[in-house]
Amino acid sequence: YASVYHEEFQKLEELILPPDDDLHRNAWHLYPIMVRPETLTTDRDGIQEAVGAENVGTGIHFRPVHQHPYYRQKYEYAEGSLPRSEFIGERVFSLPLSPLMTEDDVQFVITAVKKVISHYRK
């Protein structure tokens, strides 16, 4: 179903999708997307919350390690010390993806994400 997500979500300029080509191998155990907050009236957290309100479970599976309290304290990482990690960390969240999902489940997720993006589009 990752290919169905990819086909549908590539039409939304407000999202950055995971690579889906011969150069990148992916187990597709998650479907992480990134929002482009500059194209929206809210940030990743607002989008994620709104998608959740549409009864779609999401997750944040990629937090920059240097922002965890242990690493911040032990290695004295400051905000801005790893800007690419922070860029991704502020924008990414994962959508449901499972072999147990049906085509209807996938379409439900797609509809919810499109509805939310449309609502928050600048």
Side-chain angles (χ1 to χ4, degrees), residues 2-121:
S3 62
V4 177
Y5 279 161
H6 200 77
E7 183 177 326
E8 290 296 323
F9 295 144
Q10 71 182 346
K11 301 170 188 173
L12 301 176
E13 67 180 40
E14 297 83 5
L15 300 179
I16 300 170
L17 305 181
D20 185 27
D21 57 41
D22 293 337
L23 296 175
H24 301 88
R25 293 172 44 125
N26 197 318
W28 296 118
H29 68 292
L30 300 170
Y31 193 83
I33 60 173
M34 289 194 293
V35 300
R36 296 180 195 267
E38 66 277 7
T39 66
L40 300 163
T41 60
T42 191
D43 59 7
R44 183 270 319 270
D45 294 343
I47 296 296
Q48 185 184 21
E49 184 178 323
V51 171
E54 294 293 322
N55 294 315
V56 174
T58 63
I60 299 193
H61 295 95
F62 303 103
R63 293 197 189 271
V65 172
H66 73 287
Q67 291 182 332
H68 289 257
Y70 172 81
Y71 294 98
R72 196 177 283 180
Q73 292 168 4
K74 175 133 176 106
Y75 299 105
E76 299 178 359
Y77 283 115
E79 236 13 76
S81 61
L82 295 170
R84 186 68 181 149
S85 293
E86 292 168 22
F87 177 93
I88 293 168
E90 293 168 356
R91 291 165 173 76
V92 70
F93 71 100
S94 299
L95 297 175
L97 185 63
S98 163
L100 300 177
M101 291 176 74
T102 66
E103 289 182 26
D104 287 343
D105 295 333
V106 173
Q107 287 305 315
F108 185 84
V109 172
I110 290 167
T111 299
V113 170
K114 286 182 172 182
K115 176 181 176 183
V116 167
I117 294 296
S118 177
H119 177 76
Y120 287 103
R121 184 175 283 135

